[in-house]
Amino acid sequence: MSSENSTGSGWQNSLTWAQENIDAAGGINGKNIEFVYADLGKEDAKAAAQRLLDDPSIVAVIGPDSSSIMFNIAPDFIKKKKVLISPAATSADIFRAFAGKKFIWRTVESDIAQMRSLLLTASQKNFHTAALIVSDDSYGATFFDWFGFFTTELSIKPTGIVRYDQSKTSCEDSMVEALLGNPEVLFAAPSDFNTAICMIKYMKKLRGNTKLLFTDGGVINSIPATLGADAENIEGIGLTFDPLSGFGYAYIKKFGIDPFSDYAYAANLYDAVLLIAYGLQRSDGKGGEDLADAMIKVVSGRGEKTIWDADGVRETLTLLQKGEEPDITGATGPLDFDSQKQTDVTSSTYCLWKIIGHQYICQEFIYSGYNKAGTISSDLSIFNTIASQGKKQDLSSTGTVFNPPAKTGLWAIILSTSTDWDNYRHQADALAVYSRLKKNGLTDDKIILMINDDLANNQLNPKPGEIYNSVGGPNLYQNVEVDYNPINLAPQDLYDILSGKSSDYLSKVLKSKESDNILFFIVGHGEANGADFNQSILDPQDFTETLNTMYDNKMYRRMFIEVETCFGGIMGENLNAPGVILFAGANPWENSLADNYSHELDAWLTDKFAYSMVTMMESKPDMSLNELYEKLYLQVNGSHVSVFNNQAFGDLKAINLREFITP
């Protein structure tokens, strides 16, 4: 933890209080708990983690409160088989990367739950339009990733999504951009004090009609003191204790301060200590794998219910010593973890706060376990939320009759638009599609492969000459023939390749004919106005016009386009060419999420939509495109798989996937 935490010293209060209650109950088999501190405000996080890992007397580590630090040190704890439990690291990437790795735990839900709670609050207040401004870092990433998904589920129209540049001294340009669509509510997720102050001052100066609602990034004790009257009535949401547990009242009685004002994660930290203590009681004081397995058993108990206070701690330790399996409740509420992979709790309590009289006052408690948007089982982490049936497209209508000639051939265009190791997953996705087509018998003369090709021999690659889209999967970099590096192309070059217009530097172009099917796979980054392409944008209208030209020139029989980018649906909104269908992993306001994290490569190996699509290509090639949509819609979490131009394509129930993946 850090002594420089901006929300107070409550973390020390929670630690000592939990320690007192455990020791008063007789400790762990007669032994008291002892804390060894690493102050990340004064010590490098990686060095501190290594020091604690190397100390055999330390059986578990609590912290850090930073998601980026948690992500960086978690692989070391997994390798060393030592439990790491954070009460405050809320990035969704923690669960996405480390779920099921039994040494990594959190007593806090990810900020997916906070984003959902904010939007549910807006919906209940009858706001119909919303915008989001977030920091461009690990804190802002989860809000950025899930805003579009939940606005879709709650039928709130998004008007803008802005990531602000923390290096700039003023937030005003970003605020202007976020407010361009005149939203009824603007959600703000600042990651530092100065930006939060700037946002408040700008909205006060603007005197507009847009409501400003902060995430817990606005819970900084020095804000009311700094702004005085200008801070009054500022509102937002933040994590807090379960009001039904009695923790808040007991905390005030013991320490003379509301835990929400003292340290927002006070209850979560208290519960982290209890969970380790209960695990140690069950493991007979042993750390490592014994402790991790014991903690899984502890949170799975459904016997006698016990609570968090001194008497409850004593009762729980006694029951565990007898070999029983109590159903434990902490200061944050029931300590129910993901039933399949543990790591995360399945519910939290949030506070809808307002600054009144220079203090953060909780106006309303919001229990995330009762609030639903999307489809999620109550025993799973919120990260597993998928799109609801009510938002699924009805593709039963065939629209315009399109009767192409019999298929005689297949062409494929595979485009990965990104570069560098950080974007490993994009080229891996492209190569996974390429590899599947080659295995199905499509030859390189009928495939146009466009990738940067900077991964296999990258200096960061611990496996030179190899590329993977899953941990333990096959090497995808075998007999690969790259036709173009997108960094050397402009959008018009791509359109010329599609249109069959060769030139001195475009030697390989599409030479398909009226009886050929085409598979076009696009993967990379995306913006609200199109897919990224070599520091430019693939404009959706230009894209549509190119496809119409291809139709006029009789260059395809049917074309299946797969778009794996954030906001990918924007590429299909204006699509109208006969015989063309576009599947996007995300709608025009959503992010598309990475998947399959490799600790060894320190990279995300794939994207969820692309990986699911390739899996279907391999396992169920004879399914109809309608069934493919149904499967993908339910498999891809965090976005709404969307289909475009089906009305001009034909009956999706009568057209199968194999048509586009085998010659």
Side-chain angles (χ1 to χ4, degrees), residues 109 112-128 130 146-147 149-156 185 187 213 237 348 350 352 364 366-374 376 382 385:
E109 269 193 294
I112 301 173
Q114 188 176 174
M115 186 74 262
R116 183 181 67 181
S117 296
L118 275 166
L119 281 161
L120 281 163
T121 298
S123 178
Q124 291 161 4
K125 293 180 179 294
N126 294 316
F127 290 127
H128 302 292
W146 286 82
F147 174 75
F149 176 82
F150 286 123
T151 54
T152 299
E153 284 294 321
L154 294 168
S155 299
I156 295 174
V185 59
F187 300 112
L213 275 179
I237 199 172
S348 298
Y350 291 94
L352 186 61
E364 179 184 342
I366 303 168
Y367 181 59
S368 71
Y370 295 151
N371 296 322
K372 301 298 180 186
I376 178 68
I382 193 172
T385 303

Side-chain angles (χ1 to χ4, degrees), residues 350-365:
Y350 291 94
C351 168
L352 186 61
W353 53 262
K354 180 183 284 190
I355 297 178
I356 301 174
H358 293 194
Q359 288 187 319
Y360 288 88
I361 305 298
C362 191
Q363 303 284 294
E364 179 184 342
F365 290 99

